[in-house]
Amino acid sequence: MQPASRFDTTFLHLDALISDLQWRIQMLDADIREEEDKAGNADPGSATYSMLAQTMRTRRDNLRASIALLEDRLPADHAQAA
């Protein structure tokens, strides 16, 4: 059995990081829905929208941007296999 190359382990680490960030997005989505239900307002454009929900939305959007940047670092054939 051949040991994994540094190249392969780098992409395995990127895959793991992307998976973790996607899981965190799912958790944030659930937390946002819960906060919106609690506040009784699911309209981010509303002046009375929960500041906590807005902060979590911003965090979620930043994580999505991070995932996109990380996915750009993966080779095209690797991204298709995932």
Side-chain angles (χ1 to χ4, degrees):
M1 181 188 312
Q2 293 178 334
S5 72
R6 181 179 166 115
F7 183 76
D8 291 337
T9 58
T10 298
F11 292 119
L12 288 174
H13 287 275
L14 279 176
D15 278 337
L17 180 56
I18 290 168
S19 293
D20 182 61
L21 293 177
Q22 289 170 334
W23 175 79
R24 291 174 190 274
I25 286 172
Q26 291 175 349
M27 295 298 104
L28 279 169
D29 281 337
D31 290 344
I32 290 166
R33 283 190 301 274
E34 182 179 333
E35 178 62 22
E36 288 174 344
D37 289 345
K38 185 175 136 185
N41 186 353
D43 178 14
S46 170
T48 59
Y49 188 71
S50 167
M51 187 60 84
L52 175 58
Q54 184 61 46
T55 301
M56 288 189 287
R57 282 175 168 273
T58 301
R59 174 75 175 131
R60 182 196 58 200
D61 294 344
N62 288 340
L63 290 175
R64 286 180 178 156
S66 295
I67 288 171
L69 289 172
L70 291 171
E71 287 175 339
D72 286 345
R73 299 180 110 191
L74 295 172
D77 60 337
H78 182 80
Q80 292 172 354

